[in-house]
Amino acid sequence: MVVTKATQIGAALVAAGYLTQQNLDKALAEQVQSGRLLGRVLVDNKYVTDEQMAMTIAAQQGLSFVDLRRYEVDLELVKTLTEIQVRRYSAIILEDNGDSYLVGLVNPTNLRTQDELSNLLGRPIIASVITLDQFNKTVDRSFRKTDQIDEYANELKLDLERDSNVVDLNQIMVSIGDVEAPVIKLLQTIFEEAVQMRASDVHIEPQETKLVVRYRIDGVLHAQVDTDIRIATALMVRLKLLSGMDISEKRLPQDGRLLIKTGGDNIDIRMSTVPTQYGESAVMRLLIQTQGLLDIKRSGMPPDLMKRFKKLIRNSHGIVLVTGPTGSGKTTTLYGALEELNTPKVKILTVEDPVEYRISGINQVQVNEKIDLTFARLLRSFLRQDPDILLVGEIRDEETAQIAARAAMTGHLVLSSLHTNDAVSTPVRLLDMGVPGYIVASTLLGVVSQLLLRLVCTHCSEPYQPSHEELEWMKHFIDKDVVSQASFSHGKGCTRCNSMGFSGRTGIFELLEMTPLLSEAIHKADPLHFETLARKQMADKSLVHRALELVFQGKTTISEAMSVVTSGTY
């Protein structure tokens, strides 16, 4: 066999124990056919990880490997090169040593790249090895789009000023395919920035003298751009055109939808507009379709509760409810349950508003109030479709609740969501909605209540001393000796978390299973007795206790737990 660089790196991976000889042979055969680099073949086929490949190359070349996940990158130093240069050379400047630069390279074997970088920077460079994935994430973090958003907003403002502040709707419609139009460049950059920052929603809000763009990140809104109010109309017209809305109607709320692609992600955007005092305000919910559904196992649901929840949804009939405020992840939990139940042996029908993710093998229908296609009307029709499992996106009124309960009584499993503060108050809420106690008692199997907590950034986590108020709050639920001996963490803020101290969220859950005693209490429509029994059953497995478990593990802060959990209900 001819010894090449590819076979050398392959042999080194095998020697390091990262790769089997069988997988190496497969990859070499695929490399010959495809002409791709062996490294990409190995990583794409998941024979090795990016890190294993980079560490092996570093060892071969006698270079250091830098794990950018644990390295505090100086974003201003990275910008010594332009974004185009950084991406062209796949290189990041990590340290300024005065007479040289430490540079992280995705491909350190390319000596020509090193020579060109050295000439460009006017100093020798010391090469180190980084992974492609970490390189891309660091570049996205370093070259934020805020400046571009301002630039394109100003460009659009100048266009409008040249036209005496008159927005030519015909011209805007003609320019739909014109990727160079200022309004298109502005919107594209806003969406790219939102995806980079992991935003779930984009808010575009006209105020008296300015237009504000805000992103919701990990459940918290952050203002990104303040720009001239005069561009609001042009921006809104374009968004409404793209979303299939009526651009002539500015007095009534509207809903629409658009699909975009940014980078390698397909983004499904649900847009809602409302008329305000200073113009139309828009909120856009971003759903990244290429990420797929979130598995329940990764939602944060503890193993003990997961086992009980899966047992509940395996029942042949009855109602299982998921509750919590807007944006608490109820739909994700319901979709996860459907994924668990989705087999060719069962027929699953869903009625949703809107259909957020499409699931193969399931019949999904979207509510359309304009043509009287409501939850209740669809549910009646569904019962004639011979289903095994029904998902009702949300129980909003007495009629929907009654039909869902009758479906459960006639041999169907019904999954749905409801807006309540906790699991204990949910059966009582059904009574308030007009569902008779005997029906609730005979159909309700259990209730999962959930909230989302922000997680402390692992890159800047450090110990801290809680305030007196925080300690006293915890002592209401946990023994004071346990509280006094515990240690706590928070994030001080770094470049990886955009100086927020938090990065990502996880769910906290509680599960109330209906027992004979609870069913008897709800059958008698005795809410006080029911709540007393239910809270006794929840014991130390309530939402607040789940939140405190994360606090003691150093995964979140006391203030975050206090702000999310409604302590007054415990």
Side-chain angles (χ1 to χ4, degrees):
M1 181 177 68
V2 178
V3 177
T4 64
K5 286 185 179 180
T7 55
Q8 287 176 352
I9 188 65
L13 286 164
V14 171
Y18 297 142
L19 179 66
T20 66
Q21 185 62 48
Q22 183 181 8
N23 284 341
L24 174 58
D25 293 339
K26 289 179 183 178
L28 286 169
E30 184 176 332
Q31 182 204 17
V32 172
Q33 291 182 343
S34 65
R36 292 189 298 152
L37 294 173
L38 177 65
R40 291 324 310 163
V41 174
L42 290 170
V43 172
D44 291 345
N45 287 327
K46 298 183 178 175
Y47 294 152
V48 297
T49 65
D50 262 331
E51 287 78 9
Q52 290 169 341
M53 177 64 68
M55 287 189 289
T56 303
I57 292 174
Q60 271 198 322
Q61 300 291 318
L63 304 174
S64 62
F65 167 70
V66 177
D67 187 345
L68 293 179
R69 294 172 301 180
R70 297 172 177 80
Y71 190 94
E72 187 60 35
V73 177
D74 184 339
L75 300 187
E76 292 306 313
L77 186 59
V78 173
K79 292 178 182 178
T80 304
L81 297 171
T82 66
E83 183 176 2
I84 292 174
Q85 291 168 336
V86 167
R87 293 190 185 277
R88 176 187 172 189
Y89 295 115
S90 296
I92 291 177
I93 300 178
L94 301 175
E95 290 180 16
D96 183 351
N97 298 321
D99 57 351
S100 64
Y101 286 109
L102 175 65
V103 178
L105 297 167
V106 173
N107 182 13
T109 61
N110 190 331
L111 299 179
R112 180 177 176 182
T113 291
Q114 295 189 38
D115 290 340
E116 289 183 9
L117 278 171
S118 181
N119 290 331
L120 190 64
L121 295 168
R123 296 186 201 172
I125 67 167
I126 302 169
S128 60
V129 187
I130 57 177
T131 69
L132 178 61
D133 179 61
Q134 292 173 25
F135 165 79
N136 287 330
K137 289 178 180 177
T138 303
V139 174
D140 287 343
R141 219 169 53 238
S142 303
F143 295 94
R144 292 270 305 280
K145 305 293 183 181
T146 307
D147 292 341
Q148 277 185 273
I149 293 175
D150 286 332
E151 177 187 339
Y152 295 148
N154 288 331
E155 189 178 338
L156 177 57
K157 182 183 74 173
L158 292 174
D159 268 12
L160 294 175
E161 287 174 348
R162 283 194 291 271
D163 293 329
S164 303
N165 297 329
V166 176
V167 179
D168 185 345
L169 299 187
N170 292 323
Q171 182 59 39
I172 287 177
M173 284 186 278
V174 167
S175 68
I176 278 192
D178 181 8
V179 295
E180 294 302 317
V183 67
I184 285 293
K185 290 190 288 186
L186 175 58
L187 283 174
Q188 181 180 352
T189 310
I190 287 174
F191 289 134
E192 287 176 355
E193 171 87 336
V195 171
Q196 283 183 16
M197 297 187 69
R198 301 177 295 102
S200 60
D201 303 84
V202 176
H203 294 238
I204 298 179
E205 303 165 330
Q207 299 180 8
E208 185 174 7
T209 59
K210 60 186 178 181
L211 181 69
V212 177
V213 178
R214 299 196 289 172
Y215 300 152
R216 187 175 296 280
I217 304 168
D218 293 334
V220 179
L221 279 171
H222 299 270
Q224 293 303 116
V225 178
D226 292 349
T227 188
D228 198 299
I229 186 61
R230 287 175 291 181
I231 75 169
T233 302
L235 199 60
M236 194 58 61
V237 167
R238 172 48 60 94
L239 281 170
K240 291 171 77 171
L241 281 169
L242 294 172
S243 305
M245 297 184 189
D246 183 354
I247 62 173
S248 65
E249 180 57 77
K250 299 180 180 179
R251 301 164 299 170
L252 297 173
Q254 294 190 63
D255 293 306
R257 174 181 173 184
L258 64 149
L259 293 166
I260 66 169
K261 185 168 185 177
T262 174
D265 295 318
N266 296 319
I267 316 294
D268 189 352
I269 298 174
R270 307 300 168 86
M271 178 170 159
S272 171
T273 66
V274 293
T276 69
Q277 184 178 3
Y278 299 112
E280 288 181 284
S281 172
V283 175
M284 291 169 284
R285 169 65 55 88
L286 276 57
L287 301 169
I288 303 179
Q289 297 293 336
T290 45
Q291 287 183 350
L293 294 176
L294 178 63
D295 193 314
I296 300 180
K297 295 175 183 176
R298 294 189 287 117
S299 65
M301 188 179 288
D304 62 314
L305 194 148
M306 174 88 66
K307 184 178 180 180
R308 293 161 56 204
F309 178 64
K310 286 185 176 181
K311 184 178 178 182
L312 274 184
I313 63 175
R314 291 291 178 185
N315 280 277
S316 60
H317 61 277
I319 299 176
V320 177
L321 294 175
V322 179
T323 75
T326 300
S328 60
K330 299 187 297 295
T331 302
T332 298
T333 299
L334 287 171
Y335 277 150
L338 289 185
E339 284 281 277
E340 191 77 19
L341 299 170
N342 187 17
T343 70
K345 295 181 180 180
V346 297
K347 179 163 184 173
I348 302 176
L349 295 172
T350 78
V351 50
E352 306 171 59
D353 185 21
V355 175
E356 293 192 7
Y357 290 97
R358 292 157 182 81
I359 309 175
S360 177
I362 294 179
N363 300 280
Q364 297 172 270
V365 183
Q366 181 160 320
V367 167
N368 189 340
E369 301 281 355
K370 294 178 182 177
I371 58 173
D372 197 31
L373 195 64
T374 61
F375 279 107
R377 185 174 182 179
L378 281 166
L379 269 179
R380 289 194 201 93
S381 300
F382 277 7
L383 295 178
R384 296 191 291 272
Q385 291 285 310
D386 189 30
D388 298 292
I389 300 168
L390 297 171
L391 181 139
V392 184
E394 183 182 346
I395 294 178
R396 297 179 177 175
D397 52 45
E398 179 183 349
E399 186 180 15
T400 305
Q402 294 270 15
I403 298 170
R406 284 201 294 272
M409 292 177 71
T410 55
H412 303 90
L413 177 66
V414 179
L415 307 176
S416 190
S417 69
L418 200 63
H419 286 278
T420 57
N421 289 331
D422 57 18
V424 171
S425 60
T426 301
V428 178
R429 172 74 178 125
L430 290 174
L431 294 179
D432 293 340
M433 294 178 77
V435 182
Y438 74 90
I439 292 182
V440 177
S442 61
T443 59
L444 186 62
L445 299 172
V447 182
V448 173
S449 186
Q450 65 184 86
L451 298 167
L452 290 176
L453 279 177
R454 290 185 295 169
L455 295 171
V456 170
C457 175
T458 56
H459 297 286
C460 61
S461 176
E462 64 178 13
Y464 84 109
Q465 180 60 39
S467 67
H468 174 73
E469 291 76 13
E470 290 174 331
L471 293 172
E472 290 301 309
W473 178 79
M474 286 192 295
K475 289 174 184 177
H476 284 294
F477 312 103
I478 303 292
D479 184 271
K480 62 181 181 181
D481 291 333
V482 174
V483 173
S484 62
Q485 295 172 16
S487 57
F488 305 95
S489 300
H490 73 169
K492 64 179 180 180
C494 66
T495 56
R496 288 176 176 81
C497 62
N498 296 305
S499 300
M500 298 175 197
F502 294 94
S503 181
R505 290 190 291 177
T506 191
I508 54 170
F509 302 81
E510 63 181 12
L511 173 58
L512 176 69
E513 295 179 84
M514 295 297 288
T515 63
L517 284 176
L518 291 177
S519 295
E520 182 183 355
I522 207 72
H523 187 192
K524 294 178 180 178
D526 186 349
L528 289 178
H529 183 50
F530 173 83
E531 288 202 20
T532 301
L533 291 173
R535 296 210 182 280
K536 185 177 180 180
Q537 179 182 314
M538 299 299 294
D540 59 349
K541 298 298 183 182
S542 66
L543 287 172
V544 68
H545 288 93
R546 299 286 187 182
L548 286 171
E549 285 177 13
L550 294 179
V551 169
F552 289 129
Q553 292 168 13
K555 294 181 178 179
T556 193
T557 64
I558 304 170
S559 60
E560 176 68 5
M562 290 173 67
S563 67
V564 171
V565 179
T566 309
S567 59
T569 61
Y570 293 93

